[in-house]
């Protein structure tokens, strides 16, 4: 019994020594005081052709602040189109967020827009951006069909079958400047003017779009081919913003394969796209840099992760004044 007590006493002593040798064991608790951040306005406004003008105005927030109520409902906004002041701002609320909007004015391609936003206790935030041109493009249904059959990656068994119809989107790039684009694919359009561009709209379980175009593939060399049963060529066009670096000044043609008829493993059947609505968005450089930087932000990376620098083109403030022109075409695919 004595030997057992001595044995455990020895183990306890060794454990205590190792524990005490850890420099963090008895380290004092340090109260880190974060320096006060710059107090500034954070206006956010994306101008789009055909869409009424609206702006959200917030303010900067202290690091690790508990109070997330940083919205401002007493801002004064001046908007200039080609140097001319635009009046008619109205204040409203969307889900308790103050939105300032001008209901009867829609931005014009080629115009230069400047905003000056002010509020008591803040420096006036100012930004300028130019609305890109509205692009003409064509959407063509080809005679090419692919027959896709999914393969279960776990056991190799065959899954659903699908018929894919090829469409081609073609436009001429402007060779005098760097251009920034996004293609939006939908299976409906609400009123022919307003474009609903929720990024997951076309990518439900029964809306997989296929393409091997390099603008949708980070490597430019996707694994497998369309119809092979691999998911490597499944793309989400709405989520991809791209530049003209590979086709600057040239005609660009993008090939997409849309599902038009699926056989399910169960009783239901989905016929995929009947008519496709394709929007080609032409973005300003500021809009492109802002939206791509926001997409890189991941709130789940932890407190000490590498910070994401969100692009802003405001002087004496943060936020974005971005411009994008949108044109839409439709094509009957089934």
């Amino acid at each position: 019994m004595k030997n057992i007590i001595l044995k455990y006493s020895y183990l306890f002593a060794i454990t205590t020594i190792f524990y005490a040798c850890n420099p963090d064991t008895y380290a004092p608790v340090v109260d880190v005081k974060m320096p006060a951040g710059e107090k500034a306005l954070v206006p956010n406004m994306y101008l789009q052709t055909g869409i009424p003008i609206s702006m959200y105005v917030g303010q900067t927030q202290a690091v690790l602040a508990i109070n997330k109520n940083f919205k401002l409902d007493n801002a004064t906004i001046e908007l200039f189109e080609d140097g001319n002041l635009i009046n008619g701002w109205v204040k409203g609320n969307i889900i308790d967020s103050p939105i300032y909007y001008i209901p009867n004015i829609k931005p014009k391609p080629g115009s230069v827009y400047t905003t000056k936003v002010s509020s008591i206790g803040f420096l006036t935030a100012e930004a300028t951006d130019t609305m890109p041109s509205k692009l003409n493009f064509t959407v063509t249904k080809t005679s090419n069909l692919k027959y896709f059959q999914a393969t279960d990656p776990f056991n190799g068994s065959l899954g659903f079958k699908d018929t894919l119809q090829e469409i081609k989107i073609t436009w001429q790039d402007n060779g005098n400047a760097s251009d920034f684009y996004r293609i939006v694919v939908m299976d409906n359009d609400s009123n022919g003017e307003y474009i609903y561009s929720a990024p997951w709209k076309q990518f439900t379980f029964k809306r997989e779009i296929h393409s091997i175009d390099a603008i949708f593939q980070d490597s430019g060399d996707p694994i497998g081919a369309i119809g092979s049963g691999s998911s490597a060529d499944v793309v989400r066009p709405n989520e991809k913003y791209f530049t003209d670096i590979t086709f600057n000044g040239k005609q660009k043609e993008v090939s997409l394969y849309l599902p038009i008829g699926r056989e399910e493993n169960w009783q239901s059947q989905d016929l995929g796209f009947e008519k496709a609505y394709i929007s080609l968005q032409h973005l300003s450089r500021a809009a492109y840099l802002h939206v791509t930087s926001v997409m890189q932000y991941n709130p789940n990376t932890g407190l000490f992760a590498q910070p994401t620098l969100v692009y802003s083109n405001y002087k004496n403030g943060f936020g974005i004044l971005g411009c994008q022109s949108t044109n839409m075409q439709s094509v009957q695919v089934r």
Side-chain angles (χ1 to χ4, degrees), residues 65-188:
I66 298 176
N67 179 18
K68 298 300 182 181
N69 185 22
F70 54 86
K71 58 190 178 183
L72 281 178
D73 58 4
N74 62 346
T76 299
I77 304 170
E78 291 180 290
L79 175 64
F80 298 87
E81 181 183 71
D82 298 325
N84 300 313
L85 179 64
I86 298 177
N87 295 309
W89 286 99
V90 179
K91 186 171 66 176
N93 281 282
I94 300 178
I95 315 178
D96 296 327
S97 296
I99 300 294
Y100 304 82
Y101 61 96
I102 304 177
N104 299 319
I105 302 295
K106 298 177 182 179
K108 297 182 297 187
S111 291
V112 178
Y113 293 91
T114 297
T115 57
K116 296 180 180 180
V117 186
S118 59
S119 185
I120 298 176
F122 295 88
L123 294 176
T124 299
E126 182 175 343
T128 299
D129 200 16
T130 301
M131 178 67 68
S133 60
K134 200 170 185 178
L135 297 176
N136 293 319
F137 70 103
T138 60
V139 180
T140 306
K141 171 185 172 181
T142 75
S143 59
N144 294 334
L145 293 175
K146 296 288 185 180
Y147 299 97
F148 178 85
Q149 183 160 15
T151 302
D152 191 320
F154 298 101
N155 56 28
S157 63
L158 297 179
F160 61 80
K161 299 178 182 179
D162 210 346
T163 303
L164 307 175
Q165 170 66 61
E166 183 189 38
I167 65 169
K168 289 188 176 181
I169 305 165
T170 308
W171 74 94
Q172 180 65 44
D173 178 74
N174 177 14
N176 297 324
S178 297
D179 291 286
F180 308 91
Y181 300 106
R182 179 172 76 146
I183 294 174
V184 178
V185 181
M186 298 172 294
D187 61 1
N188 65 77

Side-chain angles (χ1 to χ4, degrees), residues 239-315:
E239 297 181 9
K240 186 66 176 181
Y241 295 79
F242 55 95
T243 73
D244 63 352
I245 188 171
T246 60
F247 55 90
N248 188 24
K250 302 177 182 178
Q251 180 175 281
K252 176 61 178 175
E253 183 179 79
V254 177
S255 176
L256 298 177
Y257 282 83
L258 308 183
I260 60 172
R262 172 169 295 189
E263 297 179 12
E264 302 290 359
N265 286 337
W266 46 91
Q267 298 301 315
S268 64
Q269 185 181 27
D270 180 80
L271 296 179
F273 284 85
E274 180 176 354
K275 190 174 185 180
Y277 295 83
I278 313 297
S279 296
L280 179 61
Q281 292 183 344
H282 191 192
L283 293 88
S284 68
R285 178 179 180 273
Y288 172 82
L289 292 176
H290 180 260
V291 72
T292 52
S293 65
V294 170
M295 291 174 70
Q296 293 173 4
Y297 170 70
N298 184 355
N300 300 318
T301 53
L303 176 62
F304 299 103
Q306 186 72 19
T308 300
L309 299 179
V310 176
Y311 175 83
S312 173
N313 60 347
Y314 266 91
K315 177 183 177 182

